[in-house]
Amino acid sequence: MRLAVTGREGQVAASLVEAARGRDDVEVVAVGRPALDLARPDTVLAALEAARPDIVVSAAAYTAVDQAEDEKDLAFAVNATGAGKVAQAAARLGVPVIHLSTDYVFDGAKHGAYVETDPTAPLGVYGASKLAGEEAVAAANPRHLILRTAWAYSPFGRNFVKTMLRLATERDKIAVVADQWGNPTSAFDIAEAILLAAASLRDDGNLSRFGVYHLVGTGDANWSGFARHILDSSREFGGPYAQIRDIAMADYPAKARRPVNSRLSTEKFASAFGWTAPQWRRSTVEIVSRLVLREARLANTQLNQ
């Protein structure tokens, strides 16, 4: 099975490439700029044709949540128009598309976990552009799997885990929001779920399992609780540590509004594909240990040079 994933630098794209390494049953080809640029729709079809995929994974996106408030046109060009072009190209090639979306399509007003049929109501440009992308993908390719995920972290790119580890080397105390809740999700777990779903859907002529799903780590947390677990784990591996101070969202002003509650239910995905993500605390320990030990190896190498 050959997967083409859009974006080379993204967390999920990098995690998919690593997950496929050493496996005989799957190959992952990351396709990114300049060959494929979602802001230039005319590049999409040719780049995906050259990749010769059995499945297209639409992972590239505009993710600067606050900056999107000032760059609405670019956010929609990439997350809506570009995503639609990727799905359309997959349809032209006769293959399914797996598209990544976000918890930010919801306003956070619900008590408890959101299910796929709950009404969407994004609070900002980023969420609105991703919701428009979902609609464009569904319209362009009936064989679509839209996976809403949240709070992704990995050893790659920019993410909350890496930010906390960096700040712990600079400060004794870190202020973190305590009144926003969601599901921390390892990009490695997202990659495993995508590979499982792709293998299941590649030759499935039945459209019943295509559609919208939620895919997040098992268990929920607030940002400050997530941060404490990251730094407690780091300390166990000999890495940086700092105390966490709880603050309210109102104390951390940002241009874009965030949903207070981003919890997502994954029961639909578990029922359709027989897979549930590991508990987020366990997945976090795995990523933190890798990052801390990598830094230790780099430090030792520099000392020995």
Side-chain angles (χ1 to χ4, degrees), residues 151-195:
W151 296 27
Y153 61 91
S154 71
F156 314 113
R158 298 172 59 186
N159 59 73
F160 187 74
V161 170
K162 294 177 72 175
T163 297
M164 288 299 104
L165 293 175
R166 175 180 57 81
L167 290 177
T169 67
E170 304 169 356
R171 310 175 187 177
D172 295 326
K173 292 185 179 180
I174 306 171
V176 182
V177 169
D179 56 355
Q180 185 182 0
W181 292 80
N183 307 97
T185 310
S186 165
F188 286 147
D189 294 336
I190 297 172
E192 287 300 322
I194 288 174
L195 292 177

